[in-house]
Amino acid sequence: QVTGGPHVDFPVLVKTTQGFLRDRGNGGEVTNADGFDIYFSADQAGTLRLAHEVERYDAQIGELIAWVKVPSLTAATVLYLHYGSDLAESQEDRAAVWSAGYVVVLHLDDASDATGNATTIDSQTIEELDTPIDRGQRFDGTTDRIIVGSPTIHNIFATGGTAQGWFFATSYGESGFGRIWDKGHTNGWSMAIHRLGLGEFAN
């Protein structure tokens, strides 16, 4: 699923469920029930380790959802997954995965910033649900929201920036203006689903 490149310092999503990724108590080969012995590398020997973040690990079924930072990514890139050692502490490094210019990264399975930046999060959503990657949030279109406080994100477009959100819309949202990202849409910037008129909409 990789085209072009090489893409520099690219966080790759690794999502897999394998019997051998169960912990040993469940008939697998992972030593630690929390998956602490799992790590990634660019070489088979495991000496060229890659920073990774574990978003979800289920020792009973061997499910692993992780983000792996690849220094140079092409369609021919090979990643190696290691497990089964006696490592007793987590090998993940969330902040290192998102260190290449990321201001805020919210996976929405919890209300925290994966970058490790000084970001304040005020989450006002009440319904969690399964999504194609992991867990997400269902917003009611009226009062549910996540407020992000970060000195950097307020002026993200001043010198060029990108805001990305993965969502599935079932309506136009509050007052026909469903905000995905919003910093005061009258005098700031927004990404939204906006009902302009009958049969008309814009992103």
Side-chain angles (χ1 to χ4, degrees), residues 45-68:
T47 56
L48 301 175
R49 291 200 180 191
L50 302 174
H52 77 278
E53 174 194 3
V54 175
E55 190 168 346
R56 182 174 182 176
Y57 173 66
D58 189 324
Q60 290 187 324
I61 64 173
E63 180 186 26
L64 175 65
I65 302 175
W67 297 89
V68 184

Side-chain angles (χ1 to χ4, degrees), residues 11 21 46 55 60 77 89 97 120 153 171 180 189-190 195:
L21 285 178
E55 190 168 346
Q60 290 187 324
T77 300
E89 296 182 356
V97 175
T120 59
I153 198 172
S171 72
I180 309 304
W189 51 264
S190 293
R195 180 160 187 159

Side-chain angles (χ1 to χ4, degrees), residues 73-147:
L73 178 68
T74 69
T77 300
V78 176
L79 306 181
Y80 294 88
L81 170 64
H82 302 265
Y83 52 88
S85 67
D86 294 326
L87 296 169
E89 296 182 356
S90 175
Q91 303 301 297
E92 67 178 324
D93 189 348
R94 300 174 72 192
V97 175
W98 308 104
S99 62
Y102 289 88
V103 177
V104 175
V105 175
L106 303 176
H107 297 309
L108 297 190
D109 57 339
D110 60 13
S112 64
D113 178 13
T115 67
N117 294 332
T119 305
T120 59
I121 308 293
D122 180 13
S123 177
Q124 299 186 47
T125 60
I126 58 174
E127 186 177 357
E128 190 174 290
L129 73 164
D130 285 319
T131 71
I133 295 178
D134 187 15
R135 301 288 287 171
Q137 301 287 334
R138 186 191 304 276
F139 296 83
D140 63 8
T142 54
T143 58
D144 289 353
R145 61 192 182 275
I146 295 177
I147 301 174

Side-chain angles (χ1 to χ4, degrees), residues 148-172:
V148 179
S150 168
T152 311
I153 198 172
H154 294 313
N155 297 308
I156 190 172
F157 297 115
T159 57
T162 300
Q164 181 185 65
W166 295 355
F167 61 93
F168 180 80
T170 58
S171 72
Y172 287 106

